[in-house]
Amino acid sequence: MTVETSQPNNYDIAKVTFGGICALILTVGLARFSYTPMLPIMIKHSGLTTIQGGWLATINYAGYMVGTLLISSMHNLKNKYNLHQLFLLLAVISTTLMGVTSNEYCWGLLRFVSGISSVGGLLLASALILNWFKVNKLNHGLGMHFSGLGIGIAISGVLVILTSNSLDWNGQWIATGLFGILFLLPSWLFIPKPITSESKIHIECPVSKPNLKTINKKWMTFMMMAYTCAGLGFVIGSTFIVSFLEASPILHGRGGLVWILVGLSAIPSSFLWDSLSNKIGNITSLVCAYLVQLVSILLPVISDSLLTNMLSAILFGITFVGIVCMTLTAVGRRFPEKPAKAMAKITLGYGISQILGPVITGYLSNSTGSYKVSFLATSIIMGLGMVFLLKIRAIKD
């Protein structure tokens, strides 16, 4: 049976896209990443230790991995739509309740739930929007959708600044959670219900080779290793960059400003790196992105100046979304017959890094009294990731 649908106009497209952006702002920008600018505040005022802070970040990423595994086991888009709406509610609830308790185990549970809810914007909203584009025969990508990552990060930083003088840390969490309702509503209303119950939505790639039988396993191994390195660079930067920079006298009390810079820089990053990769190729562009992120992580280690640290925040924001987008694009083109499966496989190492990185950083910073050792080690690992990418470039198909 064929479902007849009228061709959507520009308003319909804008509405769906806006709903997706709001989903990312809520589930990732607020529920997941408000923790970054709030971390130094909680360490100072709530009794949270650096080790506990690292564990909470790890638990959050573990929740994201659990959510990802849950989604990968589901095949009906209508069920995913219902789960998407549930995750929107969980994002608001888990963020708000962070300010209601001072119990570290409750914090852990709430960060785990918020990690699960972040799948709502990153994976579920993406799949539902792609389904809508496909059914309506629209040749649209998700570049605009993923701008919600940067917007959400910037908003979380603005909220911390605006509430820092009038609210304590409890009130800041509660205000952030309740503010998220503004983004829950358009996402709830504008993300379209799936018109079909197709079990798989694939992004068509304009590449017909290589065939699955001739795919070089060495290529995949090196890419997984490189992406694992990128996962560590992402999690250390996104979790601890505010705490690290706030430790310097010149930036003390300005963590929210740092995080806003990261978010604003991330908004156009997917478009910028996509344009570069079209000119010089995905792998070469990834090498450039890894190098820029390496520099962003290394800068606060070698200099305490305001200009250098602001540049560090900007460069980090420019790179982390682009690295994810370019990596998944490269994998999808390399595995055109089963891109979703290949993308899920490569995300494994990236996710493991996100789980282990914060805990290791928490213990290192606690024993050394600084985040410098962790950031220095992370920059070295990003350099190792570049080596793996160069190995990929040398592979002859």
Side-chain angles (χ1 to χ4, degrees):
M1 177 180 177
T2 302
V3 179
E4 297 294 335
T5 59
S6 59
Q7 188 67 19
N9 53 35
N10 290 335
Y11 172 75
D12 295 325
I13 296 171
K15 187 172 67 172
V16 170
T17 302
F18 179 65
I21 290 173
C22 287
L24 277 174
I25 291 173
L26 171 59
T27 62
V28 183
L30 298 183
R32 190 173 180 185
F33 281 145
S34 285
Y35 181 72
T36 300
M38 284 298 299
L39 179 58
I41 297 173
M42 292 183 71
I43 289 176
K44 185 176 180 180
H45 297 293
S46 74
L48 186 73
T49 67
T50 53
I51 291 178
Q52 291 170 339
W55 271 108
L56 289 182
T58 287
I59 291 170
N60 181 257
Y61 291 114
Y64 174 74
M65 288 294 287
V66 169
T68 302
L69 292 172
L70 174 63
I71 298 307
S72 66
S73 67
M74 299 177 65
H75 303 295
N76 189 296
L77 271 179
K78 290 183 179 179
N79 292 336
K80 290 182 179 181
Y81 175 81
N82 295 331
L83 199 60
H84 166 260
Q85 294 191 312
L86 173 61
F87 284 177
L88 294 176
L89 293 172
L90 290 179
V92 171
I93 294 170
S94 62
T95 304
T96 305
L97 291 182
M98 282 292 292
V100 175
T101 180
S102 296
N103 184 283
E104 61 184 274
Y105 298 105
C106 291
W107 281 338
L109 176 62
L110 293 171
R111 296 310 297 157
F112 184 79
V113 172
S114 77
I116 293 176
S117 74
S118 64
V119 176
L122 282 169
L123 299 183
L124 292 176
S126 301
L128 292 164
I129 291 172
L130 279 175
N131 171 257
W132 188 79
F133 285 159
K134 179 181 178 181
V135 170
N136 288 286
K137 297 181 172 58
L138 296 171
N139 187 25
H140 285 62
L142 291 172
M144 186 63 71
H145 171 69
F146 279 107
S147 68
L149 284 172
I151 297 171
I153 288 172
I155 289 175
S156 68
V158 169
L159 285 174
V160 168
I161 290 177
L162 293 179
T163 58
S164 59
N165 292 326
S166 57
L167 299 172
D168 58 13
W169 68 269
N170 305 78
Q172 286 182 284
W173 273 115
I174 294 171
T176 299
L178 296 179
F179 187 73
I181 296 173
L182 295 178
F183 302 100
L184 181 150
L185 294 175
S187 182
W188 186 289
L189 297 173
F190 297 159
I191 295 290
K193 291 184 178 181
I195 298 174
T196 73
S197 59
E198 292 177 5
S199 61
K200 296 180 181 178
I201 299 296
H202 292 312
I203 302 174
E204 297 296 332
C205 301
V207 178
S208 59
K209 62 178 184 179
N211 191 284
L212 273 179
K213 294 181 180 179
T214 61
I215 287 176
N216 196 323
K217 292 183 179 180
K218 187 184 292 186
W219 187 98
M220 187 61 165
T221 299
F222 283 136
M223 182 58 86
M224 287 185 69
M225 294 168 78
Y227 202 42
T228 299
C229 294
L232 191 65
F234 163 72
V235 72
I236 299 303
S238 64
T239 304
F240 299 105
I241 191 170
V242 172
S243 295
F244 186 12
L245 297 185
E246 269 217 344
S248 66
I250 199 167
L251 282 174
H252 183 67
R254 300 179 181 176
L257 176 61
V258 171
W259 197 232
I260 291 171
L261 279 177
V262 172
L264 292 177
S265 303
I267 293 172
S269 64
S270 58
F271 303 104
L272 294 175
W273 288 109
D274 185 58
S275 176
L276 182 63
S277 64
N278 287 335
K279 295 177 181 178
I280 64 176
N282 264 47
I283 302 302
T284 303
S285 297
L286 274 170
V287 173
C288 295
Y290 274 53
L291 178 60
V292 174
Q293 189 165 108
L294 185 157
V295 171
S296 76
I297 295 170
L298 192 59
L299 281 176
V301 176
I302 62 178
S303 174
D304 290 329
S305 75
L306 177 63
L307 181 61
T308 300
N309 288 329
M310 292 294 98
L311 181 60
S312 169
I314 292 170
L315 293 180
F316 179 75
I318 286 174
T319 52
F320 74 89
V321 176
I323 287 174
V324 172
C325 291
M326 287 189 292
T327 300
L328 296 183
T329 298
V331 172
R333 288 176 176 173
R334 189 77 183 191
F335 295 78
E337 294 184 16
K338 293 185 178 180
K341 183 177 181 180
M343 290 176 185
K345 182 178 180 180
I346 204 167
T347 302
L348 227 71
Y350 193 82
I352 291 172
S353 291
Q354 292 183 68
I355 292 173
L356 297 179
V359 171
I360 296 172
T361 300
Y363 281 104
L364 278 176
S365 62
N366 186 68
S367 61
T368 62
S370 169
Y371 290 104
K372 283 190 174 182
V373 173
S374 298
F375 272 60
L376 179 60
T378 302
S379 65
I380 294 172
I381 290 172
M382 288 301 296
L384 182 61
M386 291 174 61
V387 172
F388 293 137
L389 290 172
L390 292 173
K391 291 282 189 180
I392 292 173
R393 282 208 326 174
I395 293 175
K396 303 293 183 181
D397 290 328

